[in-house]
Short mmCIF file of all heavy atoms in Angstrom, two decimals:
data_model
loop_
_atom_site.label_atom_id
_atom_site.label_comp_id
_atom_site.label_asym_id
_atom_site.label_seq_id
_atom_site.Cartn_x
_atom_site.Cartn_y
_atom_site.Cartn_z
N ALA A 1 142.32 -22.50 43.37
CA ALA A 1 143.61 -21.86 43.07
C ALA A 1 143.95 -20.76 44.08
O ALA A 1 144.80 -19.91 43.81
CB ALA A 1 143.59 -21.29 41.66
N THR A 2 143.30 -20.78 45.23
CA THR A 2 143.44 -19.72 46.22
C THR A 2 144.28 -20.19 47.40
O THR A 2 144.04 -21.26 47.97
CB THR A 2 142.06 -19.26 46.72
OG1 THR A 2 141.31 -18.74 45.61
CG2 THR A 2 142.18 -18.19 47.79
N ARG A 3 145.27 -19.39 47.78
CA ARG A 3 146.11 -19.67 48.95
C ARG A 3 145.57 -18.92 50.15
O ARG A 3 145.42 -17.69 50.12
CB ARG A 3 147.56 -19.23 48.71
CG ARG A 3 148.45 -20.25 48.05
CD ARG A 3 149.89 -19.78 48.10
NE ARG A 3 150.31 -19.56 49.48
CZ ARG A 3 151.37 -18.81 49.83
NH1 ARG A 3 152.08 -18.19 48.92
NH2 ARG A 3 151.69 -18.68 51.11
N VAL A 4 145.30 -19.65 51.22
CA VAL A 4 144.68 -19.07 52.42
C VAL A 4 145.58 -19.28 53.63
O VAL A 4 146.13 -20.38 53.84
CB VAL A 4 143.30 -19.73 52.69
CG1 VAL A 4 142.71 -19.21 53.99
CG2 VAL A 4 142.35 -19.47 51.53
N VAL A 5 145.69 -18.24 54.44
CA VAL A 5 146.35 -18.32 55.74
C VAL A 5 145.30 -18.05 56.81
O VAL A 5 144.60 -17.04 56.76
CB VAL A 5 147.50 -17.30 55.86
CG1 VAL A 5 148.07 -17.30 57.29
CG2 VAL A 5 148.59 -17.62 54.86
N ILE A 6 145.20 -18.97 57.78
CA ILE A 6 144.28 -18.80 58.91
C ILE A 6 145.13 -18.61 60.15
O ILE A 6 145.90 -19.50 60.53
CB ILE A 6 143.36 -20.02 59.09
CG1 ILE A 6 142.52 -20.24 57.83
CG2 ILE A 6 142.47 -19.85 60.32
CD1 ILE A 6 141.72 -21.54 57.84
N SER A 7 145.00 -17.47 60.78
CA SER A 7 145.75 -17.18 62.00
C SER A 7 144.90 -17.54 63.21
O SER A 7 143.90 -16.87 63.48
CB SER A 7 146.15 -15.70 62.05
OG SER A 7 146.82 -15.41 63.25
N GLY A 8 145.27 -18.61 63.90
CA GLY A 8 144.51 -19.09 65.04
C GLY A 8 144.13 -20.54 64.83
O GLY A 8 143.43 -20.86 63.87
N ALA A 9 144.59 -21.40 65.72
CA ALA A 9 144.30 -22.83 65.62
C ALA A 9 143.40 -23.29 66.75
O ALA A 9 143.44 -24.45 67.16
CB ALA A 9 145.60 -23.64 65.62
N GLY A 10 142.56 -22.38 67.23
CA GLY A 10 141.57 -22.74 68.24
C GLY A 10 140.28 -23.17 67.60
O GLY A 10 140.25 -23.64 66.45
N ALA A 11 139.18 -22.99 68.32
CA ALA A 11 137.88 -23.49 67.87
C ALA A 11 137.51 -22.93 66.50
O ALA A 11 137.18 -23.68 65.57
CB ALA A 11 136.81 -23.14 68.89
N ALA A 12 137.58 -21.60 66.34
CA ALA A 12 137.17 -20.99 65.08
C ALA A 12 138.12 -21.35 63.95
O ALA A 12 137.70 -21.67 62.83
CB ALA A 12 137.07 -19.48 65.24
N GLY A 13 139.42 -21.30 64.22
CA GLY A 13 140.40 -21.58 63.17
C GLY A 13 140.28 -22.99 62.61
O GLY A 13 140.34 -23.20 61.39
N VAL A 14 140.10 -23.97 63.50
CA VAL A 14 139.96 -25.35 63.05
C VAL A 14 138.69 -25.51 62.21
O VAL A 14 138.70 -26.14 61.14
CB VAL A 14 139.93 -26.30 64.26
CG1 VAL A 14 139.57 -27.73 63.83
CG2 VAL A 14 141.29 -26.31 64.95
N ALA A 15 137.59 -24.94 62.68
CA ALA A 15 136.33 -25.08 61.95
C ALA A 15 136.37 -24.37 60.61
O ALA A 15 135.84 -24.88 59.61
CB ALA A 15 135.17 -24.55 62.80
N ILE A 16 136.99 -23.20 60.55
CA ILE A 16 137.09 -22.49 59.28
C ILE A 16 137.91 -23.31 58.29
O ILE A 16 137.53 -23.45 57.11
CB ILE A 16 137.71 -21.09 59.48
CG1 ILE A 16 136.73 -20.18 60.22
CG2 ILE A 16 138.10 -20.48 58.15
CD1 ILE A 16 137.33 -18.85 60.64
N ALA A 17 139.03 -23.87 58.75
CA ALA A 17 139.85 -24.68 57.86
C ALA A 17 139.03 -25.84 57.28
O ALA A 17 139.08 -26.12 56.07
CB ALA A 17 141.07 -25.21 58.60
N LYS A 18 138.26 -26.50 58.11
CA LYS A 18 137.51 -27.67 57.64
C LYS A 18 136.39 -27.29 56.69
O LYS A 18 136.14 -27.98 55.70
CB LYS A 18 136.98 -28.45 58.84
CG LYS A 18 138.08 -29.17 59.63
CD LYS A 18 137.53 -30.00 60.77
CE LYS A 18 138.65 -30.77 61.46
NZ LYS A 18 138.13 -31.60 62.59
N ILE A 19 135.70 -26.18 56.96
CA ILE A 19 134.61 -25.81 56.06
C ILE A 19 135.17 -25.30 54.73
O ILE A 19 134.56 -25.52 53.67
CB ILE A 19 133.67 -24.78 56.71
CG1 ILE A 19 132.28 -24.83 56.02
CG2 ILE A 19 134.23 -23.37 56.67
CD1 ILE A 19 131.20 -24.04 56.74
N LEU A 20 136.34 -24.64 54.74
CA LEU A 20 136.95 -24.23 53.48
C LEU A 20 137.34 -25.43 52.64
O LEU A 20 137.16 -25.43 51.42
CB LEU A 20 138.18 -23.35 53.75
CG LEU A 20 137.97 -22.00 54.42
CD1 LEU A 20 139.27 -21.20 54.39
CD2 LEU A 20 136.86 -21.21 53.76
N LEU A 21 137.86 -26.46 53.29
CA LEU A 21 138.18 -27.69 52.57
C LEU A 21 136.93 -28.27 51.92
O LEU A 21 136.96 -28.71 50.76
CB LEU A 21 138.82 -28.71 53.52
CG LEU A 21 140.23 -28.39 54.01
CD1 LEU A 21 140.60 -29.30 55.17
CD2 LEU A 21 141.24 -28.54 52.87
N GLY A 22 135.83 -28.27 52.67
CA GLY A 22 134.57 -28.77 52.14
C GLY A 22 134.06 -27.95 50.97
O GLY A 22 133.31 -28.45 50.13
N ALA A 23 134.48 -26.68 50.89
CA ALA A 23 134.06 -25.80 49.81
C ALA A 23 135.05 -25.79 48.65
O ALA A 23 134.89 -25.00 47.71
CB ALA A 23 133.88 -24.38 50.34
N GLY A 24 136.06 -26.64 48.70
CA GLY A 24 136.99 -26.77 47.58
C GLY A 24 138.24 -25.91 47.66
O GLY A 24 139.00 -25.84 46.68
N ILE A 25 138.49 -25.28 48.79
CA ILE A 25 139.72 -24.50 48.98
C ILE A 25 140.72 -25.40 49.71
O ILE A 25 140.51 -25.76 50.88
CB ILE A 25 139.45 -23.22 49.79
CG1 ILE A 25 138.46 -22.33 49.04
CG2 ILE A 25 140.74 -22.46 50.07
CD1 ILE A 25 137.96 -21.13 49.82
N THR A 26 141.80 -25.76 49.06
CA THR A 26 142.68 -26.81 49.60
C THR A 26 144.06 -26.32 50.00
O THR A 26 144.78 -27.03 50.70
CB THR A 26 142.83 -27.94 48.57
OG1 THR A 26 143.34 -27.40 47.34
CG2 THR A 26 141.49 -28.61 48.31
N ASP A 27 144.48 -25.15 49.54
CA ASP A 27 145.82 -24.64 49.89
C ASP A 27 145.68 -23.75 51.12
O ASP A 27 145.49 -22.53 51.01
CB ASP A 27 146.42 -23.88 48.71
CG ASP A 27 147.92 -23.61 48.91
OD1 ASP A 27 148.40 -23.73 50.06
OD2 ASP A 27 148.58 -23.25 47.93
N ILE A 28 145.75 -24.35 52.28
CA ILE A 28 145.48 -23.66 53.55
C ILE A 28 146.66 -23.88 54.50
O ILE A 28 147.13 -25.02 54.66
CB ILE A 28 144.20 -24.19 54.21
CG1 ILE A 28 142.99 -24.02 53.28
CG2 ILE A 28 143.95 -23.49 55.55
CD1 ILE A 28 141.74 -24.73 53.77
N ALA A 29 147.11 -22.82 55.12
CA ALA A 29 148.08 -22.91 56.21
C ALA A 29 147.45 -22.30 57.46
O ALA A 29 146.99 -21.15 57.42
CB ALA A 29 149.37 -22.17 55.86
N VAL A 30 147.41 -23.07 58.54
CA VAL A 30 146.88 -22.58 59.81
C VAL A 30 148.05 -22.23 60.71
O VAL A 30 149.01 -23.02 60.84
CB VAL A 30 145.96 -23.62 60.47
CG1 VAL A 30 145.39 -23.07 61.77
CG2 VAL A 30 144.83 -24.02 59.53
N ILE A 31 147.99 -21.08 61.35
CA ILE A 31 149.08 -20.57 62.17
C ILE A 31 148.68 -20.56 63.63
O ILE A 31 147.59 -20.11 63.98
CB ILE A 31 149.45 -19.13 61.75
CG1 ILE A 31 149.59 -19.00 60.24
CG2 ILE A 31 150.70 -18.66 62.48
CD1 ILE A 31 150.72 -19.76 59.64
N ASP A 32 149.57 -21.05 64.51
CA ASP A 32 149.40 -20.85 65.94
C ASP A 32 150.58 -20.04 66.46
O ASP A 32 151.34 -19.45 65.67
CB ASP A 32 149.21 -22.17 66.68
CG ASP A 32 150.45 -23.06 66.65
OD1 ASP A 32 151.52 -22.61 66.16
OD2 ASP A 32 150.35 -24.21 67.12
N ARG A 33 150.79 -19.99 67.75
CA ARG A 33 151.85 -19.15 68.32
C ARG A 33 153.24 -19.56 67.87
O ARG A 33 154.19 -18.77 67.91
CB ARG A 33 151.78 -19.18 69.85
CG ARG A 33 150.58 -18.47 70.44
CD ARG A 33 150.62 -18.49 71.95
NE ARG A 33 149.48 -17.81 72.54
CZ ARG A 33 148.31 -18.37 72.79
NH1 ARG A 33 148.12 -19.66 72.47
NH2 ARG A 33 147.33 -17.69 73.34
N ARG A 34 153.39 -20.82 67.43
CA ARG A 34 154.70 -21.31 67.03
C ARG A 34 154.89 -21.39 65.52
O ARG A 34 155.87 -21.94 65.05
CB ARG A 34 154.96 -22.68 67.66
CG ARG A 34 154.92 -22.65 69.18
CD ARG A 34 155.50 -23.88 69.79
NE ARG A 34 155.54 -23.79 71.24
CZ ARG A 34 156.25 -24.59 72.03
NH1 ARG A 34 156.98 -25.54 71.49
NH2 ARG A 34 156.22 -24.45 73.33
N GLY A 35 153.92 -20.88 64.79
CA GLY A 35 154.06 -20.89 63.34
C GLY A 35 153.06 -21.78 62.66
O GLY A 35 151.99 -22.09 63.22
N VAL A 36 153.38 -22.21 61.44
CA VAL A 36 152.48 -23.04 60.66
C VAL A 36 152.26 -24.38 61.35
O VAL A 36 153.22 -25.03 61.81
CB VAL A 36 153.04 -23.27 59.24
CG1 VAL A 36 152.14 -24.22 58.45
CG2 VAL A 36 153.19 -21.94 58.51
N VAL A 37 151.02 -24.80 61.44
CA VAL A 37 150.68 -26.11 62.02
C VAL A 37 150.96 -27.16 60.94
O VAL A 37 150.14 -27.38 60.04
CB VAL A 37 149.21 -26.14 62.47
CG1 VAL A 37 148.84 -27.52 62.99
CG2 VAL A 37 148.96 -25.08 63.54
N SER A 38 152.13 -27.78 61.03
CA SER A 38 152.55 -28.77 60.06
C SER A 38 153.16 -29.96 60.79
O SER A 38 153.63 -29.84 61.94
CB SER A 38 153.57 -28.18 59.08
OG SER A 38 154.68 -27.64 59.78
#
C-alpha cells in the first residue's frame, strides 16, 4: 500500500525499482530528466 518515487533511471534507480517489486512494493514511479518513465 506504499507509493514510491525513485528519482534517477540509471543503474541504481533501475535496480532499486526491480528489487522493490520483488519485495512486494508495486506502486512505483521512476523519474528521469524528462519526468515519469511511462
Side-chain angles (χ1 to χ4, degrees):
T2 298
R3 273 190 58 199
V4 175
V5 174
I6 300 172
S7 177
V14 171
I16 290 172
K18 290 183 176 180
I19 203 170
L20 295 189
L21 290 167
I25 299 172
T26 57
D27 193 344
I28 301 170
V30 182
I31 312 294
D32 66 7
R33 290 182 180 86
R34 300 194 176 195
V36 176
V37 177
S38 56

